[in-house]
Amino acid sequence: YDWNWRFLLDTVAAGEGSYLDWLFAGLGWTVALSLAAWALALAVGIAVGMARFLEPRWLRGPAAAWVELFRNVPLLVQFFLWFFVVPELLPRDLGLWVKQDMPAKEFVTAAVCLGLFTSARVAEQLRSGIGSLPPGQRLAALALGMSLPQAYRHVILPRALRVILPPLTSEFMNVIKNSSVAYAIGVFELTFQARQMQEETARGLETYLAVTTLYFLCAFAANR
């Protein structure tokens, strides 16, 4: 095989920058998408995970259904549902705005989809973390005069988050990995740019080795 890494510095066919610029642009979209999805996943996942323990009990059923729904539908299918189906179910004016006028439609849709998909996994991690704590901690907090929400906020939730910090790090790495599926709805992240580069240059090995290295560096940074 005739290796040629210099093609990364060649000007793209459209004449706007080099192929290396394409890679760094894709890296920027990948990082932005991963961070936005992770922020949403943490907020929703913590809320759903807490709902599986808090009163009233009627909250527990919908929380469990949320986890089962988002964990068991394939991510690619969820991307297509959010991008093509959900706008059709909205009120007419809102649906037209989402389909035609919403800024960064592909990015916003991908961030919401990936965030909600990951929130189910975060909720399960939090449920396991809370379940691993000794029940006496909750009783002790209540005996000190705290209400149940205060006990969860000041005692149980901080300790549970500390317990599940290592698996949460792995989940964030999964968000970076799963962001590659967003190319299916047109987000110009790393995988999308790699496919474009491979089609234009026929340098598949160099392209995907470079992209794999960038994904590895993102995962390494997330793990640190």
Side-chain angles (χ1 to χ4, degrees):
Y1 185 79
D2 182 21
W3 294 92
N4 179 19
W5 292 97
R6 288 177 296 179
F7 88 96
L8 292 172
L9 302 178
D10 293 341
T11 302
V12 300
E16 300 176 356
S18 65
Y19 292 108
L20 189 61
D21 295 331
W22 274 16
L23 283 182
F24 284 121
L27 177 63
W29 281 110
T30 294
V31 172
L33 175 60
S34 300
L35 291 177
W38 183 240
L40 179 61
L42 278 181
V44 177
I46 290 175
V48 174
M50 293 279 291
R52 302 193 70 176
F53 285 91
L54 291 177
E55 302 292 344
R57 291 180 178 272
W58 61 264
L59 288 174
R60 301 180 185 181
W66 179 280
V67 172
E68 294 299 322
L69 174 64
F70 283 98
R71 286 186 68 188
N72 291 294
V73 177
L75 180 58
L76 181 59
V77 175
Q78 293 191 37
F79 269 112
F80 287 145
L81 289 175
W82 280 99
F83 192 74
F84 295 109
V85 178
V86 170
E88 302 296 335
L89 302 178
L90 297 174
R92 182 176 180 276
D93 292 340
L94 179 59
L96 287 176
W97 179 81
V98 170
K99 290 185 288 185
Q100 299 177 5
D101 300 323
M102 186 173 73
K105 176 181 67 174
E106 292 83 1
F107 177 84
V108 173
T109 302
V112 170
C113 176
L114 186 55
L116 296 183
F117 173 81
T118 309
S119 71
R121 305 179 64 87
V122 173
E124 280 296 278
Q125 298 285 359
L126 182 62
R127 185 180 69 86
S128 299
I130 294 176
S132 69
L133 298 178
Q137 294 188 1
R138 180 175 65 88
L139 298 176
L142 295 176
L144 289 174
M146 294 184 182
S147 64
L148 187 59
Q150 289 175 330
Y152 272 93
R153 177 185 174 186
H154 296 292
V155 179
I156 298 173
L157 184 58
R159 290 186 57 82
L161 290 175
R162 181 177 180 181
V163 169
I164 66 172
L165 186 59
L168 282 183
T169 302
S170 298
E171 289 300 334
F172 182 48
M173 294 172 64
N174 284 334
V175 170
I176 297 174
K177 176 191 70 176
N178 290 333
S179 67
S180 62
V181 185
Y183 86 90
I185 61 172
V187 179
F188 292 172
E189 44 74 54
L190 271 175
T191 303
F192 186 98
Q193 301 288 41
R195 289 171 62 89
Q196 293 287 97
M197 290 172 57
Q198 195 275 333
E199 291 176 0
E200 288 197 8
T201 65
R203 287 288 170 182
L205 286 178
E206 293 95 331
T207 296
Y208 286 106
L209 280 174
V211 169
T212 300
T213 300
L214 291 176
Y215 272 121
F216 173 80
L217 291 176
C218 288
F220 178 79
N223 198 36
R224 299 297 294 177

